[in-house]
Amino acid sequence: MTTRTLAVGLFGVLLSATPLLAQTPATPAAPAPAQPPAAPAKPAVPAAAADEPTGAPLDVNLRSVDFGVRITDVSGDEARYNRYHDKRTGPVVEGFRYTSENQDRLWRAEADNVGYRDQRYSAEYEQFGGFKGWFEYNQIPYEQDYSTRTPYTVVNDTTVTVDDALQSSIQNGTATLNPAVDAYAMPFELRSKRDITRIGGQFQAGKNVDLNLAFTSTGREGYQPLGISLGFASNYEAPAPIQTRNNELAANAEWSNGKALVRAGYDGSFFDSSAESLAWDNPLRITDTPTLTGTGRMARWPSSTMHTISATGSVALPARSRLTGYVGQSMLASDVDILPWTINTAIAQPPLPRTSVDGDIDVTTVMFRFNTRPLKSLWLSAAYRSYDLNNKTPEFQYNQKVNYDTSLVSLPDGESSHPYSFNRSTVELDSSFTPFRNGAFKLGFVREEIDRTHRIYDTTEENSWRLAYDWTSNPFVTVRAGYLRQERRGKGFHPEILEHYGEQPGLRHADLSDRDRDVAQFVVTFLPTTDLSVNVNAAVGNDERPDVEFGLRSQDWDSFGFGVDYSPTDKYNMGASYLYETFGSFEASRTANPPPDATFTDARRNWDDTIDEKVHTFNLYFEVPKIGDKLDLGVTYDYTKSDNTYTYGVPADSTLTPPVNLPDAFTKWTQARVNSAYWLRRNLSLGLTYIYDQFEVNDWALGSQTLDRLAHSNTFLLMNYGWDPYTAHTVVLKATYLW
């Protein structure tokens, strides 16, 4: 009742204000058209004129304000409906735009969704030929779930606890986690927020010299569900605090004269986290023993810094050629404290080789590119890129450790950390040949080599061949078609790494395994008339991994789609599109214990999983501007449906329990939107927007049929969030005023 009254009142005020606005003396101007015109070319402003010339054109992007009321009704998962937005019921200022410009300077201010969690503000000032400065604040929410419950209490950014009474009762055997936890679980809304502030300026120090300075600060705060464990027998979730900020500073000087450019710069990144670790209570017990702990702890994001100095150059050469180069050197560092081996007070603390991470990484980046067009019909390009990450962090060597805060382990041969380094170098060759006016043949080759440390392959080499044809000059049809072939091979295989971790010798990691990829695609657009266009597109791709016994072995995907756009007059336009996509993958594994157990080599314990996904996407739009020179009307419809199947297989002589295939999973999203605006005057409109939004889901992993309780025996403790459907209706009543 309140929102309805507010909406009616808004329109009453606007309607009653219309006669008053009509009585306000207008600035002398050319006769007003019957509708807000598209932004014309900026009129010349005499030197002696005021900042705003009389008769300035009305443009919603120059000077306008959108304000009104939003009414939202959601049944189901309201957090998913909002997700990265804030669509709550209430008064809204959807947009504000103000621009002031004359022949000497420009300044502009903007605001969106004022006062809401997805609000944005910006300002810009430019003194033509001298200085340009800008500011922006952008807030992005992440609404995860509003039905979350947990027995954990957040003490500070690094500690969460549960009630001592719950721990004691379970330890003493007088209660079990399920259902005792329900009496201690408190509801809260699971969300986080990212805020980004940008401030920058550009100063023209001379005719050819610019000095640039920019500062960006990105903060995150809120909570996220974090999986915590004290071994494979128990897994819990806790609301882990998020409290980080990354400040970035960029400064450079640039000289250019149209033919050549030189830039030298510095970039700094300073990441700070007040949540570098998390200590949590074990909900099953309150006291420590040498084999059981009442508290656990884990490391999280460490604070760090990065400094980069760089130089860029570009010069025009004869024969329509240009050479461009970039060299950068980065230094990354982190000196955070290393956590003790355990938080369990009943276990003797093994000594740490050092107390600080002493993180030290150097990154060298090099890029050179040469473009030339020796003939009108021929274009050539060659490029070389190198990214060398040298991890100089000292190895962390130890001969004792504590597993899961529950057991002290001695390592007679000792172990050490593995500071990871890699070097990626890429050579890229491209060409385009246009033997006749309407079409261009394109041929390209890319070779990428990556050298790595502490991985099962020392080096991977990948060769890519690209072939394409573009026919774009014909007024009635355009064609774009391409084919890609990639072959990746690994060298310097280290089976001892797999053996060290008890992995199967036939396992290959997806980012390293030998891979053959083929991709073909085309887009054809037909333009039979000036007001009609029809496009057809298709793509097909396949990955095969010939050396993989266990892991991801193959993938395939394809798509087909078409679209129509029709604009017979300036009075209306419409269009529709449809896309069908499929994706499939095949993985294999073996259920076994590490050697010397006999199951490790028993092929009868193999199993595999085939995943198939089919996606349908349909879009429709219809726009009618200025019905009767007064009413703007627009309708859009969007639909996406994804179906997933998981099929498990075992050998005919398998010794495993026959697998039961998981239920099919699907998601379906539908949105219909109607936008309308009635122009009372050339600078004032009343608008009505209606949005119907529906999300349907059936997911065996995160659906309510699986996550139907907080705790499962003493094994799992969850937070009651998952994938739930919703149906939402949103109405926005607003006024748009231009000046």
Side-chain angles (χ1 to χ4, degrees):
M1 189 65 177
T2 302
T3 54
R4 181 181 302 173
T5 303
L6 179 61
V8 173
L10 167 72
F11 272 69
V13 170
L14 291 173
L15 289 172
S16 63
T18 302
L20 299 177
L21 291 171
Q23 298 173 32
T24 303
T27 303
Q35 64 185 46
K42 185 180 70 176
V45 181
D51 285 355
E52 304 302 333
T54 60
L58 298 176
D59 187 334
V60 70
N61 294 311
L62 293 180
R63 290 174 297 277
S64 67
V65 60
D66 286 340
F67 62 97
V69 62
R70 178 171 52 220
I71 307 166
T72 298
D73 177 68
V74 183
S75 60
D77 191 349
E78 186 177 357
R80 176 172 288 277
Y81 174 62
N82 282 293
R83 199 55 101 206
Y84 300 103
H85 303 280
D86 187 356
K87 306 171 188 175
R88 290 174 293 169
T89 294
V92 293
V93 178
E94 283 197 332
F96 170 82
R97 302 290 184 270
Y98 182 78
T99 303
S100 174
E101 182 177 8
N102 61 23
Q103 65 181 9
D104 298 319
R105 60 104 183 107
L106 174 147
W107 72 276
R108 179 176 175 84
E110 297 183 357
D112 296 301
N113 302 320
V114 176
Y116 284 83
R117 296 183 184 123
D118 56 350
Q119 59 192 331
R120 186 188 75 89
Y121 307 91
S122 68
E124 176 186 350
Y125 175 81
E126 182 172 3
Q127 189 74 34
F128 300 133
F131 174 77
K132 180 178 181 180
W134 60 89
F135 162 82
E136 182 186 43
Y137 175 81
N138 192 8
Q139 190 170 290
I140 305 169
Y142 180 66
E143 307 291 309
Q144 186 158 352
D145 200 285
Y146 296 162
S147 60
T148 321
R149 293 191 300 141
T150 182
Y152 281 100
T153 299
V154 177
V155 178
N156 52 48
D157 291 340
T158 61
T159 307
V160 295
T161 62
V162 297
D163 195 294
D164 291 351
L166 176 63
Q167 292 177 284
S168 298
S169 62
I170 297 176
Q171 178 177 319
N172 296 335
T174 59
T176 58
L177 195 57
N178 179 35
V181 69
D182 288 320
Y184 297 89
M186 299 298 294
F188 74 103
E189 295 184 349
L190 182 61
R191 66 163 56 94
S192 61
K193 178 189 74 173
R194 184 187 304 269
D195 64 84
I196 306 170
T197 302
R198 297 184 177 94
I199 302 174
Q202 182 183 71
F203 175 68
Q204 189 170 342
K207 180 180 179 181
N208 300 321
V209 178
D210 288 334
L211 303 178
N212 303 286
L213 183 66
F215 174 77
T216 302
S217 181
T218 302
R220 288 188 64 205
E221 63 179 41
Y223 300 93
Q224 66 174 159
L226 185 66
I228 54 181
S229 175
L230 297 171
F232 293 107
S234 59
N235 289 278
Y236 312 122
E237 283 183 336
I242 302 172
Q243 195 64 250
T244 66
R245 181 157 297 279
N246 189 48
N247 294 321
E248 299 174 273
L249 178 65
N252 64 72
E254 178 180 314
W255 174 90
S256 63
N257 65 358
K259 293 185 177 181
L261 176 148
V262 177
R263 180 189 300 122
Y266 164 81
D267 293 271
S269 177
F270 309 87
F271 177 77
D272 179 71
S273 172
S274 62
E276 294 181 337
S277 66
L278 183 69
W280 70 90
D281 279 351
N282 179 357
L284 304 184
R285 62 181 301 106
I286 194 170
T287 59
D288 294 339
T289 73
T291 58
L292 297 170
T293 182
T295 312
R297 182 168 54 191
M298 66 186 301
R300 299 180 72 199
W301 313 292
S303 300
S304 62
T305 62
M306 181 174 71
H307 304 275
T308 300
I309 54 174
S310 63
T312 303
S314 180
V315 60
L317 301 174
R320 290 173 291 192
S321 303
R322 178 168 287 274
L323 177 64
T324 303
Y326 170 88
V327 177
Q329 182 66 41
S330 301
M331 292 74 70
L332 291 78
S334 178
D335 60 356
V336 299
D337 292 338
I338 296 176
L339 293 178
W341 280 109
T342 182
I343 198 173
N344 188 335
T345 58
I347 296 178
Q349 196 73 246
L352 293 172
R354 62 179 186 270
T355 59
S356 172
V357 169
D358 293 341
D360 186 7
I361 296 176
D362 287 344
V363 178
T364 303
T365 306
V366 177
M367 188 280 292
F368 294 103
R369 180 177 294 276
F370 175 73
N371 298 323
T372 184
R373 193 178 179 186
L375 304 174
K376 186 177 180 180
S377 59
L378 181 63
W379 174 84
L380 302 172
S381 175
Y384 171 78
R385 299 189 300 273
S386 173
Y387 185 91
D388 183 14
L389 187 149
N390 180 23
N391 194 337
K392 302 187 295 182
T393 304
E395 289 189 355
F396 186 87
Q397 300 187 6
Y398 53 94
N399 53 28
Q400 280 186 314
K401 66 178 182 179
V402 177
N403 288 338
Y404 302 107
D405 290 298
T406 58
S407 58
L408 178 63
V409 179
S410 295
L411 305 166
D413 297 329
E415 289 191 4
S416 66
S417 62
H418 304 296
Y420 174 65
S421 300
F422 71 92
N423 178 283
R424 178 191 294 115
S425 59
T426 306
V427 175
E428 184 174 0
L429 304 174
D430 280 300
S431 63
S432 177
F433 179 55
T434 311
F436 44 88
R437 184 169 59 92
N438 288 338
F441 295 91
K442 298 180 180 180
L443 180 64
F445 172 77
V446 180
R447 179 174 176 82
E448 179 185 78
E449 294 187 11
I450 306 178
D451 297 322
R452 301 175 172 89
T453 62
H454 305 297
R455 298 296 303 273
I456 61 173
Y457 283 112
D458 289 333
T459 303
T460 56
E461 300 175 351
E462 183 170 72
N463 295 320
S464 304
W465 295 266
R466 299 189 296 238
L467 178 64
Y469 177 71
D470 287 352
W471 190 30
T472 58
S473 301
N474 189 291
F476 302 107
V477 62
T478 64
V479 178
R480 294 181 181 273
Y483 171 73
L484 171 68
R485 169 69 178 183
Q486 292 181 319
E487 295 179 357
R488 183 176 68 197
R489 295 293 182 267
K491 293 184 177 181
F493 179 55
H494 292 281
E496 68 276 8
I497 295 179
L498 294 172
E499 180 183 352
H500 176 77
Y501 292 103
E503 300 285 3
Q504 291 286 339
L507 173 69
R508 297 294 182 270
H509 304 133
D511 65 323
L512 299 175
S513 60
D514 292 358
R515 184 188 67 190
D516 297 331
R517 170 174 290 178
D518 294 280
V519 181
Q521 55 190 353
F522 74 85
V523 178
V524 181
T525 304
F526 301 96
L527 302 116
T529 65
T530 57
D531 51 27
L532 176 65
S533 69
V534 180
N535 69 81
V536 179
N537 63 84
V540 60
N542 174 259
D543 279 358
E544 294 293 338
R545 299 171 186 263
D547 72 328
V548 176
E549 181 181 8
F550 299 117
L552 179 62
R553 290 175 55 171
S554 65
Q555 293 174 293
D556 59 81
W557 61 95
D558 58 69
S559 66
F560 173 77
F562 60 87
V564 179
D565 293 283
Y566 183 52
S567 302
T569 69
D570 293 337
K571 296 298 184 182
Y572 69 92
N573 57 80
M574 63 184 70
S577 64
Y578 171 76
L579 180 65
Y580 175 70
E581 301 169 281
T582 68
F583 175 83
S585 65
F586 179 75
E587 301 91 16
S589 186
R590 176 177 294 166
T591 300
N593 294 321
D597 193 288
T599 61
F600 189 76
T601 57
D602 189 351
R604 298 174 301 171
R605 302 181 65 84
N606 290 359
W607 59 273
D608 56 65
D609 180 20
T610 301
I611 302 175
D612 290 299
E613 181 179 13
K614 297 178 175 62
V615 182
H616 301 267
T617 303
F618 176 72
N619 308 101
L620 176 71
Y621 72 92
F622 179 72
E623 297 175 346
V624 188
K626 295 301 173 289
I627 300 174
D629 292 332
K630 290 291 186 179
L631 179 65
D632 292 336
L633 180 64
V635 178
T636 62
Y637 176 80
D638 299 285
Y639 172 88
T640 300
K641 174 101 181 327
S642 171
D643 294 286
N644 296 265
T645 61
Y646 301 79
T647 305
Y648 293 92
V650 294
D653 60 347
S654 176
T655 59
L656 300 174
T657 302
V660 177
N661 288 323
L662 295 164
D664 292 350
F666 78 87
T667 58
K668 183 169 68 173
W669 176 71
T670 305
Q671 186 184 88
R673 177 190 292 261
V674 180
N675 295 312
S676 63
Y678 185 80
W679 290 91
L680 302 174
R681 301 179 57 186
R682 65 185 292 262
N683 67 336
L684 176 64
S685 72
L686 300 182
L688 170 65
T689 297
Y690 169 72
I691 304 171
Y692 170 81
D693 201 311
Q694 185 181 57
F695 177 74
E696 300 176 62
V697 62
N698 180 26
D699 187 278
W700 45 262
L702 291 172
S704 57
Q705 68 270 39
T706 302
L707 307 179
D708 59 348
R709 68 200 76 174
L710 286 181
H712 293 246
S713 182
N714 281 343
T715 306
F716 292 97
L717 174 61
L718 306 176
M719 288 172 48
N720 203 49
Y721 72 91
W723 286 44
D724 295 311
Y726 69 78
T727 300
H729 304 270
T730 299
V731 176
V732 181
L733 308 173
K734 70 173 183 177
T736 300
Y737 178 69
L738 297 78
W739 73 94

